[in-house]
Each structure stands twice: as structure tokens, then as C-alpha cells.
Amino acid sequence: MARHLARIHGTEEDKVNCPFYFKIGACRHADRCSRIHHRPAFSQTILIKHIYRHPTREAELQAAREGRSVDGVEVDQGKAREDFLVFFEDYFSELSKFGQLEALHICDNLGDHMIGHVYAKFSEEEEAADALNVMNGRYYNGRKMEVEFSPVTDFREARCRDFDEDTCRRGGFCNFMHIKPVPICLIRDMEEDAEEERRREEIERMERRRKDDGRSRRRGERKGGERK
């Protein structure tokens, strides 16, 4: 029985636990879902909810404010791409301060339960916990960050393969992750920059420790001389 429950956990056969929340860390039914959403107490992956400003939604909101129809709003794709890459670089640089990133994914979905989601997977759970504790409640571009641990650690199960092949018929309202593509050369450059920054900080910490040890030793020697 235990083996059977372990096998079906998080699958469509599981009538207790929500398979979408287990795979994607988000469910379109939210708290109204008839199945349980097990929110992990710790994980290598954190989710920053609704923080990326999707250009299509932003264009719709702007049209609504101006009293125009939101149907068929136009998006400057060149500017949208540039803004996205700036966003990616900002988050990669900031999150890398807490440890080595194994993945940083920004969702291109338009569904209310997934729009603007950012998933960051660290090499260690402790690094993810540090990032969550520091970033939760901070602001980015006028939005307060809501950060939580995510059950997603294998993005192969979470991502929409049809989107990756440019064949998804559900568009932005697909329930699997539409992960925005990032040039691999940019990722490699940022990984190298982050690693160099971590090495520099480690050298600075060792130098401060050496100086502190030296000061402590000298104080001890002075006290010893005074007692004599």
C-alpha cells in the first residue's frame, strides 16, 4: 500500500494531492482546489510570485486606463525583449549573492495563477532559505516580492514542451510553464561574473578574519605583558 501511494503521489491517479501544484508549484484553482497543496517547509527552489511585468498584461492595463479596448493590444516586441533581459540580469545578479543558481526561469504564461512567476533553483537548500528570508517583502520596480518555497525541482516535468517547440495551442493560458528563453551566452557570462564575485567576497572575508585574529592576538599579548 505504501509503495502504491508513493508511486501515484503527485500524479493524476492521486485523488488527495494536487498534481499541478506538485509539478508546477501553482494551481489555477488556488485555495478552492479539491486536492491538497503541500507547501514545502524547505526546498532548493524558491518562487517569487507575480513579480515579472508581462508586456501583454501591461499593455492591456494601459489600454483599460485610457478607455481603449484591450482586444488585440499591440506590444513593442523589441522593447519587451530588452526589458525582459534587463529583468533577468537584475534577478540573476541579486539571487547569485546567496549561492550558486542551478536554474532561473521566468514564466511567459498569462493565467492569473502563473503570470509573472519567477522560479530560482539553488544548489543547496540553505542558499534558497537565505534568499527567501532576505528577499521576501522587499520591493522591485514598485512591486512587493512574495517569496515561498516551491515543490518544483525538476523543470522537465513542469515546462510545456510544445511551447519550447513553438507549437502550444493553448497560448499564454496553458497550465504548464512557458519558460521565456534566455541566450545561453548571457547565462554563461552571468555565471562567470557571479562566481568571480563569490571568490572576491570569500577572499575579503578571509582577509577580515586574518586581521581580526591578528588584533585579538595582539590584545592577548598586551594583557599578558601587563600581568607580568
Side-chain angles (χ1 to χ4, degrees):
M1 182 65 174
R3 235 190 329 260
H4 171 71
L5 292 175
R7 181 182 64 80
I8 68 170
H9 181 72
T11 69
E12 289 296 338
E13 293 181 64
D14 189 345
K15 302 304 180 186
V16 177
N17 304 290
C18 176
F20 271 101
Y21 185 79
F22 180 73
K23 289 180 181 179
I24 302 169
C27 169
R28 63 189 177 93
H29 299 295
D31 293 336
R32 300 186 305 276
C33 185
S34 60
R35 303 184 194 183
I36 297 173
H37 294 174
H38 282 292
R39 291 174 170 80
F42 50 84
S43 173
Q44 287 176 256
T45 305
I46 61 171
L47 164 62
I48 308 173
K49 302 172 71 173
H50 310 301
I51 196 64
Y52 170 64
R53 294 181 181 270
H54 196 291
T56 300
R57 180 61 56 85
E58 293 299 304
E60 290 173 346
L61 292 172
Q62 182 64 31
R65 285 192 292 267
E66 296 173 355
R68 297 183 286 110
S69 172
V70 299
D71 295 330
V73 292
E74 294 185 1
V75 173
D76 184 334
Q77 296 298 333
K79 183 177 184 305
R81 181 65 175 169
E82 182 179 342
D83 290 346
F84 164 69
L85 292 177
V86 169
F87 177 91
F88 181 88
E89 290 181 26
D90 284 348
Y91 267 83
F92 197 104
S93 297
E94 189 65 24
L95 290 165
S96 293
K97 295 176 182 177
F98 303 100
Q100 183 178 352
L101 282 173
E102 291 190 0
L104 178 61
H105 294 315
I106 292 93
C107 288
D108 200 33
N109 303 69
L110 283 166
D112 289 341
H113 63 299
M114 293 181 70
I115 189 168
H117 277 7
V118 173
Y119 293 81
K121 181 182 177 182
F122 290 86
S123 60
E124 302 290 341
E125 290 177 349
E126 292 80 4
E127 297 167 347
D130 289 343
L132 183 149
N133 291 331
V134 171
M135 299 194 72
N136 189 39
R138 285 173 56 183
Y139 283 82
Y140 177 84
N141 196 20
R143 287 189 174 182
K144 187 176 182 180
M145 287 186 277
E146 184 181 350
V147 189
E148 62 184 40
F149 288 121
S150 172
V152 182
T153 55
D154 186 352
F155 289 96
R156 292 173 300 179
E157 293 295 318
R159 68 192 306 151
C160 174
R161 296 179 181 86
D162 289 341
F163 175 77
D164 293 340
E165 297 172 1
D166 201 25
T167 59
C168 181
R169 297 180 180 179
R170 301 180 184 89
F173 294 94
C174 178
N175 283 320
F176 286 93
M177 286 186 197
H178 284 193
I179 297 174
K180 293 183 72 66
V182 180
I184 192 66
C185 58
L186 174 61
I187 296 174
R188 293 291 175 263
D189 285 346
M190 299 209 69
E191 286 175 338
E192 291 175 5
D193 290 346
E195 183 61 30
E196 179 62 31
E197 181 66 18
R198 283 193 292 269
R199 281 198 297 267
R200 185 185 63 78
E201 290 178 354
E202 181 61 25
I203 291 170
E204 289 178 352
R205 279 195 295 270
M206 292 174 65
E207 182 65 19
R208 286 195 298 269
R209 192 179 303 121
R210 187 186 64 80
K211 290 180 179 178
D212 290 342
D213 290 345
R215 282 193 290 267
S216 297
R217 187 169 56 254
R218 287 192 293 272
R219 282 196 297 268
E221 290 171 353
R222 282 198 299 269
K223 289 180 180 178
E226 291 170 0
R227 282 197 293 271
K228 292 179 182 178

